[in-house]
Amino acid sequence: MKQKSDQFKFKNVLSVWQSRVMLIGLFLFFTTNILQASTDSLSVFSGIQGGIGIRLEVDSLYTRITQIFPDTPAQRSGQLNVGDKIIGVGQGASGEIVEIQFLDEGFINGLIIGSVGSKVRLAVLPADKNKSEPPIIVELVRASIQRYINLGVDNTWYFKPGDQIDWADPTYSHSDWMKMKPTGISAPLPDSLWNQGYGWFRTYFKVDSSFYLNPWYMQCFTWGAAEVYIDGKLVMNYGVFSTNPALEQGNNPLSKPFIPILLAPRDTHLLAVRFSYHEAERNKALMGDQSGDFGFGIGFLSQKYQDLRIEDIEKDKLLFYLLLGVYSIIIILHGYLYYLFREQKENLLVAIVVTLLLCNNFIQNLFPYLNLGRFNFFLLVEQIELIRYTILLLFPYTLVTFFKLKKFEFLRYLPILAILAFALESITENIVLIIIVSIDLIICSVLLIEAKKRKAEGIGFVGIGFVGMVLMIFIPMIVRLTSNEPLSALADSVLFNVTFLSIIPISMTLLIAYKMGKLYTGLERKVEERTEALEISLANLKSTQTQLIQSEKMASLGELTAGIAHEIQNPLNFVNNFSEVSTELVDEMIEELTKGEVAEAQEIG
């Protein structure tokens, strides 16, 4: 009997709880449809976020630490390193460790971020240990970070294809919409859902009073076009939304600083996004997995984050203009030298290498801030590694030309490997880069040793350039692997980038200047030697000239004397001839007189 009584009581209790559950269900249904702020459609966050200062990367196996920010609990603890794997996070007030494998990045960050001053426990597997070893437990106190409030990763969004402007109205009910986050959309939505490339996303969020005390900026990271409405009011345009694909203008999320946003305090805010991305299918077909997210990320960023963003933009532009000046001078100088001296091909090669570096400068420091569509950005910016590999593989042939190493002429075809390296880059980027740099250094070392055997001059200039190249490549890699703060500050400075992005072309210019200086010195010495020889020849010529003048004078005197003698000789010859004729006539006259021929003698006389 007692058992039946207990069963009756249990059924009554169950009936009471069923009634309460039904009432709660009706209440939730009412608030969902009327107030649009049920627990599954409301993001709640604080304006003062607490975190430990790490950046995560989540894959199917592990959650890895990819960056540790300076002066944060993670950095000050000395227990965490880049590459460590987080396999569990303490949840709730008890701090009980829960496994985080197969959880998405937004949920994991939600476990790590909490109120300032509260503790968080992490189960960490150091990078140098395998999965079979027990993890270490790291307990940290959350500090104020005030960096980024990400709304896009919350599972509180609803989506509907089509376009009606009243969907921005806070009183409109979206209870019959499809539940879908706008982030992490890895393929274009089918036309039946996406309605030919446009639709609306909606969510509610709630903040505490500290949110309104801080300045905030809105970020909408998308390559499509978006209109953002908060509480029914259009607050931001990203690109130009249109239901017509020909009129849509995509947004470049990197092109400008974030936009300030002011919210009036209220209990609950509606966030509605009118979104179009007509080029999604084309981009997927042309770019495949590199086409990026087909939705959008959205959130609020603090003043500090905005300041860092503006600083990055100004730094990139300053770096661009400084390198533009340096590279332009070198290109003009060596281009003109090649125009004057066509046989010096090293000037042409330097001009080509620096032109490629100038292209790299445009792509890296200017193009990200231009209003480029996703596909144009992919073609112009994301292929930058092909240019960099070409530059690296062109260096050996430049040395062959500089030092006249004829037997290594085949290295002119080495840059073709840049295509293969670029094709493999998507698989293992760092490994490919290390392999290419290693090949480059080995070949260049062999060429420099050969040049030294031939007693070529100026090898030191090239050596400085290649040391600079190694530092330029490996210092950022070391920073990524170790999160070394001094090296990070160095690698991030404009001076570092300008110096080491210019050191190779400048070293080549100095080498050519050195060779031209040596050539000028040699020519000057030859000119001095020739001048001295000419002076000696001139002195000999003057002496010879004096002797010739004297000889000519003597010859002229001889001719004059001969002339005078000749003139004197003629009368003498006449007198002699006359005398001889007279003598002969006297002899004939005497002979005739002797014969008695007086008449004959008189005739002769």
Side-chain angles (χ1 to χ4, degrees):
M1 189 72 178
K2 183 178 180 182
Q3 184 177 2
K4 289 184 178 179
S5 176
D6 290 340
Q7 289 177 352
F8 180 78
K9 289 181 180 178
F10 175 76
K11 288 181 179 179
N12 284 339
V13 171
L14 181 60
S15 177
V16 171
W17 276 106
Q18 286 175 340
S19 301
R20 290 178 180 177
V21 169
M22 288 179 64
L23 289 173
I24 292 172
L26 289 172
F27 176 76
L28 290 177
F29 175 79
F30 175 80
T31 56
T32 299
N33 284 274
I34 305 301
L35 300 180
Q36 291 294 305
S38 67
T39 56
D40 68 339
S41 63
L42 177 67
S43 297
V44 182
F45 53 85
S46 168
I48 300 179
Q49 297 182 54
I52 59 175
I54 60 174
R55 179 174 291 169
L56 304 176
E57 181 180 88
V58 179
D59 58 29
S60 58
L61 295 177
Y62 294 109
T63 297
R64 291 181 174 83
I65 299 176
T66 59
Q67 187 174 1
I68 297 178
F69 296 101
D71 196 27
T72 59
Q75 191 265 339
R76 289 192 295 267
S77 73
Q79 295 177 280
L80 300 178
N81 297 287
V82 172
D84 289 352
K85 308 175 199 57
I86 299 177
I87 60 175
V89 179
Q91 188 177 32
S94 64
E96 180 183 355
I97 299 291
V98 295
E99 189 176 351
I100 61 172
Q101 191 176 8
F102 308 121
L103 298 179
D104 63 35
E105 185 176 336
F107 190 85
I108 295 171
N109 279 318
L111 292 176
I112 294 175
I113 293 175
S115 59
V116 175
S118 63
K119 294 181 180 181
V120 59
R121 300 174 73 226
L122 305 176
V124 179
L125 189 64
D128 56 351
K129 291 187 178 182
N130 56 50
K131 190 176 181 180
S132 61
E133 298 184 47
I136 62 172
I137 305 300
V138 179
E139 186 175 277
L140 301 171
V141 177
R142 297 182 177 100
S144 176
I145 53 175
Q146 285 196 5
R147 289 178 63 83
Y148 184 37
I149 299 174
N150 190 350
L151 293 172
V153 298
D154 292 329
N155 193 28
T156 60
W157 287 84
Y158 288 81
F159 168 78
K160 186 173 183 179
D163 181 44
Q164 294 184 33
I165 198 65
D166 61 346
W167 290 350
D169 190 340
T171 62
Y172 180 85
S173 172
H174 60 233
S175 59
D176 59 340
W177 289 20
M178 173 179 291
K179 199 166 188 179
M180 179 189 300
K181 291 190 298 183
T183 59
I185 302 176
S186 59
L189 298 176
D191 289 341
S192 59
L193 178 65
W194 189 246
N195 196 16
Q196 302 299 326
Y198 55 89
W200 283 71
F201 288 87
R202 285 168 53 108
T203 189
Y204 283 90
F205 67 92
K206 187 174 183 179
V207 299
D208 63 14
S209 59
S210 62
F211 178 86
Y212 303 106
L213 301 177
N214 297 297
W216 294 96
Y217 296 80
M218 174 162 281
Q219 178 204 29
C220 185
F221 193 97
T222 179
W223 291 98
E227 293 178 358
V228 179
Y229 296 80
I230 296 182
D231 301 329
K233 180 181 177 182
L234 176 64
V235 292
M236 298 298 167
N237 279 306
Y238 298 89
V240 178
F241 169 90
S242 179
T243 58
N244 184 347
L247 299 179
E248 178 191 84
Q249 294 180 19
N251 173 65
N252 179 2
L254 307 176
S255 62
K256 53 185 175 294
F258 306 124
I259 302 169
I261 185 75
L262 295 175
L263 292 182
R266 59 186 301 169
D267 183 56
T268 303
H269 298 279
L270 169 72
L271 177 59
V273 181
R274 187 187 191 193
F275 183 65
S276 67
Y277 195 0
H278 293 287
E279 296 183 348
E281 283 193 46
R282 186 204 68 170
N283 291 345
K284 179 68 174 179
L286 294 175
M287 293 181 281
D289 293 338
Q290 298 186 58
S291 50
D293 196 332
F294 293 98
F296 59 87
I298 192 166
F300 298 110
L301 304 115
S302 68
Q303 182 67 54
K304 182 178 180 181
Y305 201 102
Q306 170 73 350
D307 293 341
L308 291 173
R309 173 62 175 159
I310 293 174
E311 182 183 334
D312 286 341
I313 293 175
E314 291 177 348
K315 187 184 297 181
D316 286 345
K317 290 185 177 180
L318 175 61
L319 180 60
F320 166 74
Y321 287 113
L322 289 175
L323 289 175
L324 176 64
V326 173
Y327 292 160
S328 297
I329 291 172
I330 295 174
I331 291 170
I332 293 171
L333 172 64
H334 290 282
Y336 184 64
L337 287 174
Y338 178 70
Y339 173 77
L340 295 177
F341 309 104
R342 295 296 178 88
E343 68 280 358
Q344 295 182 1
K345 291 185 179 180
E346 55 265 34
N347 284 307
L348 176 61
L349 282 172
V350 172
I352 292 173
V353 169
V354 180
T355 300
L356 291 174
L357 285 170
L358 182 59
C359 292
N360 178 78
N361 181 37
F362 271 100
I363 293 171
Q364 181 177 354
N365 299 312
L366 182 64
F367 284 9
Y369 305 113
L370 301 179
N371 191 22
L372 302 172
R374 181 69 188 97
F375 183 64
N376 292 331
F377 192 90
F378 170 77
L379 288 179
L380 296 175
V381 178
E382 295 188 6
Q383 315 303 319
I384 190 173
E385 295 301 331
L386 181 60
I387 295 177
R388 292 174 177 171
Y389 290 138
T390 303
I391 294 170
L392 287 172
L393 295 172
L394 192 58
F395 286 146
Y397 183 65
T398 305
L399 295 185
V400 170
T401 306
F402 267 113
F403 299 117
K404 306 293 187 292
L405 305 175
K406 299 293 184 182
K407 68 179 183 179
F408 293 99
E409 281 287 333
F410 64 90
L411 291 175
R412 69 173 64 191
Y413 303 109
L414 191 62
I416 296 175
L417 289 179
I419 300 173
L420 177 61
F422 181 72
L424 297 173
E425 179 200 33
S426 59
I427 303 173
T428 50
E429 178 180 353
N430 287 336
I431 294 177
V432 171
L433 180 60
I434 292 172
I435 291 173
I436 293 296
V437 172
S438 301
I439 291 173
D440 212 47
L441 290 175
I442 291 171
I443 294 175
C444 290
S445 299
V446 171
L447 294 175
L448 291 175
I449 292 171
E450 182 69 20
K452 188 175 181 181
K453 288 180 181 178
R454 299 187 182 190
K455 298 182 179 179
E457 296 179 330
I459 296 176
F461 293 105
V462 180
I464 291 173
F466 278 95
V467 169
M469 180 190 70
V470 172
L471 291 175
M472 179 187 72
I473 294 172
F474 282 103
I475 285 181
M477 290 178 66
I478 294 171
V479 169
R480 288 198 298 269
L481 294 174
T482 65
S483 189
N484 185 290
E485 188 174 349
L487 282 181
S488 178
L490 173 64
D492 197 42
S493 67
V494 173
L495 178 62
F496 172 86
N497 285 277
V498 171
T499 301
F500 289 107
L501 285 172
S502 304
I503 192 167
I504 291 178
I506 288 176
S507 68
M508 291 179 175
T509 299
L510 291 175
L511 176 57
I512 291 178
Y514 173 77
K515 292 174 71 174
M516 293 184 70
K518 295 286 288 183
L519 179 62
Y520 174 78
T521 304
L523 289 174
E524 193 175 47
R525 188 180 302 110
K526 287 183 178 180
V527 169
E528 291 177 355
E529 292 174 356
R530 294 289 177 86
T531 303
E532 185 179 353
L534 286 173
E535 288 176 352
I536 294 172
S537 297
L538 181 61
N540 293 334
L541 183 60
K542 287 182 178 180
S543 175
T544 303
Q545 185 181 23
T546 303
Q547 293 176 4
L548 286 173
I549 293 172
Q550 186 66 27
S551 298
E552 288 181 1
K553 286 181 179 180
M554 294 302 293
S556 298
L557 181 59
E559 289 179 2
L560 179 62
T561 304
I564 294 172
H566 178 71
E567 294 300 325
I568 294 173
Q569 185 68 30
N570 284 340
L572 288 175
N573 288 338
F574 177 77
V575 171
N576 288 334
N577 292 335
F578 181 77
S579 175
E580 289 177 0
V581 171
S582 297
T583 302
E584 289 177 358
L585 289 174
V586 170
D587 289 343
E588 288 181 2
M589 187 176 65
I590 292 173
E591 184 179 354
E592 291 298 325
L593 286 175
T594 303
K595 292 178 180 180
E597 296 290 334
V598 176
E600 289 294 330
Q602 289 178 347
E603 186 178 349
I604 293 170

